[in-house]
Amino acid sequence: MSIAGRFSRLVTSPIKHHIYLSRSHDVAVNLSIEHYLFQKSHPASTILILYVNKPCVVIGTNQNPWFEVNHALIRRNTVDSSPRHDGSLATIQNSIKVLRRRSGGGTVFHDFGNVNFSVIFPLPDRVINYKHAEMVVRAIRKTNPRARVNHRHDIVLDPGPLLKKSNWPDPEDTHRTAYAFGNGELEPRKISGSAGKASGQRGLHHGTCLLASPNLPSISEYLRSPAAPYLFTKATPSVPSPVANIISPDTPSPTTSILQHQIINAFIQMYKIDITNIPLPQESTTALTSNENCASGTLDSSLLEIPEIRSGHDELQ
């Protein structure tokens, strides 16, 4: 059976937990796989999927692209970076896509230095629970202890000096850190924006993780439309925030693959998943495995063989 056929059967099965890693760097492919999982997965299952996209700008479903994006700059500036096999970055020429996702939230920039996570889960009370941002913070803190969840369910870094030990929070508190923050230079730096949606018995929470974006100095320029002051719109505007990479001079420098596996481990610990005889997804090969409690695997663009994923992909072009 093909990977696409086996994936379709696993997704609709009553297996309780699923962990997937996409090898595709096409944002339309990855968002379409994510949407397929949201629509077709078993209502009792909880699913984690991780992916890294080529440079693109993704706007929320309720946003106006002319209000959010500097289209002229994006057309003019096509310099980006691509990952080498050793995890370092090589400068190449690469165009930047602009497309609309199917969830709310603000406009975000993706590139090879950014890890995207998505969790799809049962939603009996029709209220989105952003607890998965806390899960991602636990993973990020393996690299940078300044990370926390703020009141908007975004993940930020507290940039100030270390607090007195008497003021340190519980290490398990994902909403506070041992570092100072405030206004001006001490304003928290956003490293992850997230969005959610609900339909029927299913909820979805997805977001970004700015690990080591080579485009960090340009993100605010890409996401600032010169036409915005002259437009009246009823669309939902983004909330501008200062941004930063998770990696800094005083932190370790993991690759996107390492961060992905830190998030996978946080997901396994959060849901106490039995992964006996289940190898974790590896980016080097496309494969699917499962036991009674968990399905795991690495996906790629061959899933476009599934009609719903193909139509979703074509719709986003």
Side-chain angles (χ1 to χ4, degrees), residues 261-276:
H261 281 86
Q262 287 171 340
I263 295 173
I264 288 171
N265 288 330
F267 180 76
I268 290 169
Q269 292 170 12
M270 180 176 179
Y271 285 99
K272 298 178 173 59
I273 302 171
D274 177 8
I275 56 170
T276 303

Side-chain angles (χ1 to χ4, degrees), residues 57 59-60 62-75 98 100 107 222-233 235-237:
V57 173
I59 67 172
N62 300 312
Q63 293 195 294
N64 182 335
W66 302 106
F67 192 84
E68 298 293 334
V69 181
N70 189 332
H71 294 274
L73 180 62
I74 284 175
R75 286 194 297 268
V98 179
R100 185 188 301 275
T107 299
Y222 290 138
L223 306 186
R224 184 184 299 119
S225 169
Y230 308 100
L231 294 175
F232 172 77
T233 178
T236 304

Side-chain angles (χ1 to χ4, degrees), residues 87-98:
S88 63
L89 296 169
T91 299
I92 60 169
Q93 292 292 321
N94 207 328
S95 59
I96 300 173
K97 283 187 176 181
V98 179

Side-chain angles (χ1 to χ4, degrees), residues 16-18 44-48 119-122 132 202 267 271:
K16 193 171 182 181
H17 300 106
H18 298 246
S45 66
T46 301
I47 301 169
L48 171 68
V119 185
I120 297 156
F121 49 92
H132 298 103
R202 303 297 274 162
F267 180 76
Y271 285 99

Side-chain angles (χ1 to χ4, degrees), residues 34-103:
E34 180 185 278
H35 188 59
Y36 179 81
L37 288 168
F38 180 66
Q39 289 192 314
K40 299 296 183 180
S41 57
H42 192 280
S45 66
T46 301
I47 301 169
L48 171 68
I49 179 170
L50 299 159
Y51 50 88
V52 174
N53 288 325
K54 291 185 290 187
C56 60
V57 173
V58 184
I59 67 172
T61 190
N62 300 312
Q63 293 195 294
N64 182 335
W66 302 106
F67 192 84
E68 298 293 334
V69 181
N70 189 332
H71 294 274
L73 180 62
I74 284 175
R75 286 194 297 268
R76 186 167 67 246
N77 188 350
T78 59
V79 177
D80 185 50
S81 298
S82 178
R84 296 189 181 100
H85 293 299
D86 64 0
S88 63
L89 296 169
T91 299
I92 60 169
Q93 292 292 321
N94 207 328
S95 59
I96 300 173
K97 283 187 176 181
V98 179
L99 50 74
R100 185 188 301 275
R101 63 178 180 269
R102 298 177 178 91
S103 63

Side-chain angles (χ1 to χ4, degrees), residues 193-250:
S194 65
K197 65 177 179 178
S199 178
Q201 301 178 63
R202 303 297 274 162
L204 179 148
H205 176 208
H206 57 184
T208 59
C209 293
L210 280 167
L211 178 64
S213 171
N215 297 293
L216 192 70
S218 304
I219 290 176
S220 62
E221 297 177 24
Y222 290 138
L223 306 186
R224 184 184 299 119
S225 169
Y230 308 100
L231 294 175
F232 172 77
T233 178
K234 294 183 179 180
T236 304
S238 296
V239 179
S241 303
V243 295
N245 283 322
I246 294 168
I247 292 175
S248 67
D250 59 345

Side-chain angles (χ1 to χ4, degrees), residues 113 133 136-163 173-193 208-213 216 241-252 254 259 262:
V136 174
V137 163
R138 294 186 191 102
I140 292 172
R141 282 183 175 176
K142 302 292 184 183
T143 300
N144 195 325
R146 295 175 179 270
R148 65 175 172 88
V149 181
N150 71 5
H151 65 288
R152 295 179 53 82
H153 313 296
D154 296 327
I155 300 174
V156 299
L157 299 179
D158 288 335
L162 190 65
L163 300 171
D173 186 343
T174 55
H175 294 259
R176 298 171 60 209
T177 74
Y179 296 87
F181 68 93
N183 298 318
E185 292 184 359
L186 292 183
E187 184 176 0
R189 274 29 178 195
K190 185 175 176 180
I191 56 172
S192 173
T208 59
C209 293
L210 280 167
L211 178 64
S213 171
L216 192 70
S241 303
V243 295
N245 283 322
I246 294 168
I247 292 175
S248 67
D250 59 345
T251 63
L259 178 58
Q262 287 171 340

